Amino acid sequence: GAGVSQSPSNKVTEKGKDVELRCDPISGHTALYWYRQSLGQGLEFLIYFQGNSAPDKSGLPSDRFSAERTGGSVSTLTIQRTQQEDSAVYLCASSPRGQGSNSPLHFGNGTRLTVT
Amino acid sequence: DAKTTQPTSMDCAEGRAANLPCNHSTISGNEYVYWYRQIHSQGPQYIIHGLKNNETNEMASLIITEDRKSSTLILPHATLRDTAVYYCIVRVAYAGNMLTFGGGTRLMVKP
């Protein structure tokens, strides 16, 4: 079946511009996660959505970062006034159940963001 | 979540079994062992997970020692496409909303 889909796959933007990254999770998955991965580094947690509950935003690095999930499905990660240190691969993952389960996460292939 | 220790890199001949070790000596009774891999330019891919019993699926087998302080991921017949970074992670099911990926093991499958 279809996996987690992210768009665009690559995004080059100028410093100071806003960007929106999109994630389509696997149908029926109630949990959705955003991570980012800098070159050669591990994954950095950003934000977590579970059903209609308030999202866990504890990983967002600054108030320039925000995310929403509409209708419990598609999610958009927005970065305002981008900085060069925002350059990374932004990964989205979904899971059939979130907190309280051992369900594995299924990742998309990410959006590679380059801020020039 | 418990810390894990994995070798930085390993080589394996194509067609042979790849055995990837992971130490998690501080694992708690309610923490699961998960394995993911990341092939270049792709997102992490879930492989297998377990609590205390050995597990097998279409991709791999997971062998967990009786004291749960270490585990081994086994790819029974490695192919060139199995070349990737393999991550061993331990986490509780109910507490963490996030996975903490360490350095992983870079497996190189050679012809």
Side-chain angles (χ1 to χ4, degrees):
Chain A
V4 176
S5 176
Q6 292 187 247
S7 60
S9 55
N10 281 283
K11 176 71 176 179
V12 180
T13 190
E14 291 181 354
K15 177 182 174 181
K17 300 285 189 183
D18 298 351
V19 294
E20 285 189 353
L21 312 180
R22 177 186 168 105
C23 173
D24 284 88
I26 294 173
S27 178
H29 281 195
T30 60
L32 186 147
Y33 307 75
W34 283 97
Y35 291 81
R36 72 176 176 183
Q37 187 172 32
S38 300
L39 187 63
Q41 302 298 310
L43 269 65
E44 176 187 2
F45 167 75
L46 298 177
I47 189 169
Y48 160 69
F49 295 90
Q50 172 57 49
N52 296 321
S53 303
D56 176 355
K57 304 179 182 180
S58 60
L60 294 179
S62 77
D63 59 7
R64 296 186 295 106
F65 287 72
S66 64
E68 62 178 22
R69 188 178 184 194
T70 55
S73 181
V74 172
S75 177
T76 303
L77 177 69
T78 302
I79 308 173
Q80 296 177 309
R81 305 181 302 282
T82 53
Q83 304 295 313
Q84 289 185 330
E85 60 264 28
D86 299 334
S87 296
V89 176
Y90 288 81
L91 290 158
C92 176
S94 70
S95 179
R97 297 175 296 279
Q99 193 171 16
S101 81
N102 60 4
S103 299
L105 273 62
H106 300 268
F107 286 82
N109 284 329
T111 293
R112 181 175 298 278
L113 176 66
T114 303
V115 182
T116 61
Chain B
D1 292 343
K3 177 182 170 63
T4 62
T5 305
Q6 298 177 253
T8 304
S9 64
M10 291 180 62
D11 290 344
C12 178
E14 187 179 18
R16 303 299 292 269
N19 297 281
L20 292 93
C22 180
N23 283 324
H24 31 80
S25 59
T26 60
I27 192 170
S28 301
N30 58 355
E31 287 184 310
Y32 286 76
V33 180
Y34 291 80
W35 282 84
Y36 285 77
R37 71 180 182 184
Q38 190 167 24
I39 297 170
H40 183 62
S41 298
Q42 297 183 20
Q45 178 188 24
Y46 164 77
I47 302 174
I48 199 167
H49 75 285
L51 183 61
K52 55 183 178 181
N53 296 323
N54 297 337
E55 302 286 345
T56 296
N57 63 20
E58 66 278 6
M59 291 183 66
S61 295
L62 173 61
I63 309 299
I64 303 173
T65 58
E66 190 170 346
D67 63 7
R68 303 207 325 121
K69 293 186 177 182
S70 66
S71 61
T72 301
L73 178 75
I74 301 172
L75 307 178
H77 305 287
T79 71
L80 299 179
R81 288 179 293 180
D82 292 323
T83 292
V85 178
Y86 287 77
Y87 296 98
C88 168
I89 301 151
V90 293
R91 69 183 274 254
V92 294
Y94 60 84
N97 292 326
M98 61 205 78
L99 296 175
T100 303
F101 283 62
T105 296
R106 185 171 299 276
L107 175 68
M108 180 72 72
V109 181
K110 298 183 175 181

